Amino acid sequence: MLQNLSHGSELQNIRLIATDMDGTLTLNGKFTSSVLQALEHLAAAGIIVLIVTGRSAGWVNGIKSLMPITGALAENGGLFYSSHNSESITLTTISDLVNHRQQLATTFAKLQHHFPHLKESADNSFRLTDWTFDVSSLTLEQIQQLNSLCQQEGWGFTYSNVQCHIKPQGQDKSIGLLKVLQQYFPDYSLDQILTVGDSPNDETLFDSHHFPVSVGVANINNYLDQLKFQPKYITSAEEGKGFLELSEYILQS
């Protein structure tokens, strides 16, 4: 049963927050000074923050260095960037990157054959493991058709409030995050880890078998009927304001 934060006594035990970025940390597509300050306060309190985003390797490589966080996962669990290391850690095995990109491009061209209006995302040239195109012009029925087409071509598919992703099968935020936690944060138990998101590509972060404590900012309500896994708690505010609500609750606890 979905609950709001006032019922979340287990949030008092949180030591690590793994959070989505777009629509979760941002407000109308931008970072606010309040959210950046909240991240600073969490760090000062000894709470680790990891960003787990569908954004590209190129974007995340910059973000992990500029924001007060411990690290970030890019491309829905494809790569990990530690704030203490300049090199990326590949979480999805790709033997031939050039051929991999060519295969993704070929699949996108096939999708465009069915949906000529599909537009490659602006950040797609900065990607390594997946291929993205804009979601704004698509209906839910069309998204479901695109998912089926990708599966037929041997690829995985997911989408957020920003983009659609053609991705390797088995690459998702949950799998990538669990790898990072096991390798770099082995002393943290799952009940000390909080996952946060706002859209369908965050769904696996809400799987209670892996992450028993999860939160959706209020705009997740737009997608609840599309999600197999749903967050345990939902903030009353949307987007970055919801993350502020969550961080204030944790810090006060």
Side-chain angles (χ1 to χ4, degrees), residues 164-190:
C164 293
H165 301 256
I166 310 168
K167 62 188 184 70
Q169 292 278 9
Q171 177 172 305
D172 65 40
K173 291 188 175 186
S174 173
I175 292 173
L177 178 58
L178 288 169
K179 289 179 180 178
V180 169
L181 293 173
Q182 183 177 24
Q183 185 168 352
Y184 299 99
F185 305 96
D187 296 333
Y188 291 73
S189 61
L190 291 179

Side-chain angles (χ1 to χ4, degrees), residues 80-99:
F80 174 59
Y81 291 85
S82 170
S83 297
H84 309 296
N85 193 324
S86 59
E87 297 182 0
S88 65
I89 306 298
T90 302
L91 302 175
T92 297
T93 302
I94 299 172
S95 58
D96 185 337
L97 184 59
V98 173
N99 183 57

Side-chain angles (χ1 to χ4, degrees), residues 22-23 26 55 59 121 123 133-136 159-165 198-199 201 223:
D22 292 280
T26 60
R55 286 295 189 178
W59 281 33
S121 298
D123 72 340
F133 52 94
D134 296 342
V135 72
S136 58
Y159 70 101
S160 68
N161 62 320
V162 179
Q163 299 166 319
C164 293
H165 301 256
D198 80 302
S199 60
N201 70 325
Y223 301 103

